[in-house]
Amino acid sequence: MTERALRLLRQDPRLAELAAFPFAFDLSRADHVEEVRLASGGPLEAIAGDDSGGTYFVCGDGSVLYADSEGSAGVIGDSVDDALEILVGLPGWHDYVGLSPTDGEARILAEVADTEGDFREDCVPDLDAHRSELRAALGLPARSPVQLVARLHAALLRTEPDHLLLNAAEHLAYRRLDPHPRPPLWEQVLAKGRTDLALLRTGDRTVWDGVARDRPRRVAALRAAQYDRRNTDRTLLRHLLKHEADASMSDELRLAVVLVGLHCLDEDLPLLREVHETTYDTWCGLAGLPEEAGQVQEWARSFDVSNYGVDPDDEPETTWLELAREQGMVETARTHLIRALDDTGPDPAQLAVLRDEFTLIGDYTQAIRAQWLHRSLQGTERARADADARLAELERKAVEAAGAES
């Protein structure tokens, strides 16, 4: 459904003219400088532009994504009405993308006053009258610049992962419109696990069963426990270990054994031996697990130091990408991988890793891009032939995937 403000602009030439100038939302400029698409494959509709070559798009969830002509993009509102509140209330909004609520009211008001002062002096002495007229006609509330900057800041931070914009020809990502830092991949992926770990620590057994029986939640909680260790967690760790042992041998099963083993008491030994003997794979995967409590603690400490540790920044990124896939956070993984591919230089090993990770999430377009770059770095005919074979395989899978979707 077309939002009220946009519908009114399309119906009333006077309002459309006012939106175009001085508020740089021109319905006649809806053609972007190049063909673009969302990395997620979601719908994208250009609805307006500005005199600098930038374009406003509406995404499938109603969010408004702004893309400039220099290759940067960001969400500026949850809806067209929200975006127009910012455009009308902050006609110099491009100058404020680096601001956040932490900058304080005084600084925000000073910067807005400075920008709008220049605006009035240079070209729009009646800015306030135009703003009041358009707000009233479109039914937009009159919010303070401080509120609008806060809303703009929050919208920009919601750009990724669901609204990552790509050049449709080369499949390169647009840069972020703002300079604000984003959390590392591990922090995004661990968020749900940390929440579940906190719930587990309340002792509610219904929560225990709900987390333990859901493998993505169980694995994330175990990873969260790896980086937030408490001596009081032994019982809940035993519970998670029992359920993880019902699955096939995994790194998280080994992690659960190590976390329990670090606290190992005599009463833990039967469970640890049972897990060790569950299958041939667990027997091999937990090779060397001792039979005495003191020795188990020593084994767990040694294995922990060499394989796990307490700093998530030290963990290979493939761990977090796997956990993201496990939790269904495909767009989070895709965004991270595309940014990494755009930033990767002539590094065959890294390109091969990225190619394989894209393949795992079913993004054959980006996997093919990574493989083309990988092929260009091969120095022998045999290596190029192998690269060509892998490229042909990816292209075949891309065709099959497209056919399955149609």
Side-chain angles (χ1 to χ4, degrees), residues 299-323:
W299 173 88
R301 281 194 292 268
S302 175
F303 207 95
D304 183 32
V305 169
S306 60
N307 292 275
Y308 297 114
V310 296
D311 187 348
D313 279 321
D314 293 337
E315 195 75 30
E317 287 204 329
T318 51
T319 297
W320 306 122
L321 290 166
E322 181 179 356
L323 192 55

Side-chain angles (χ1 to χ4, degrees), residues 180-314:
H180 304 298
R182 270 38 172 204
L185 178 63
W186 66 260
E187 188 172 324
Q188 300 172 63
V189 173
L190 271 188
K192 293 179 181 178
R194 287 171 162 174
T195 298
D196 276 339
L197 181 60
L199 290 172
L200 290 168
R201 285 170 173 166
T202 66
D204 185 340
R205 289 308 177 111
T206 60
V207 172
W208 280 31
D209 288 340
V211 173
R213 291 172 180 169
D214 183 328
R215 187 165 195 277
R217 294 180 69 185
R218 180 174 71 241
V219 166
L222 282 168
R223 286 293 178 181
Q226 176 185 344
Y227 302 109
D228 180 12
R229 304 183 181 196
R230 299 185 187 179
N231 292 332
T232 54
D233 284 347
R234 188 173 66 89
T235 303
L236 71 85
L237 289 171
R238 284 170 53 93
H239 191 69
L240 295 175
L241 171 57
K242 289 177 183 178
H243 284 79
E244 185 62 19
D246 291 337
S248 59
M249 182 63 205
S250 66
D251 194 42
E252 285 76 22
L253 176 59
R254 191 181 294 109
L255 170 62
V257 170
V258 167
L259 293 176
V260 171
L262 290 171
H263 303 285
C264 188
L265 302 178
D266 286 336
E267 63 245 45
D268 295 323
L269 290 175
L271 172 62
L272 294 176
R273 298 313 309 171
E274 179 185 349
V275 171
H276 181 265
E277 305 294 333
T278 301
T279 66
Y280 179 71
D281 286 341
T282 58
W283 185 82
C284 294
L286 299 173
L289 182 68
E291 297 188 5
E292 296 182 8
Q295 293 176 335
V296 169
Q297 288 180 335
E298 185 175 333
W299 173 88
R301 281 194 292 268
S302 175
F303 207 95
D304 183 32
V305 169
S306 60
N307 292 275
Y308 297 114
V310 296
D311 187 348
D313 279 321
D314 293 337

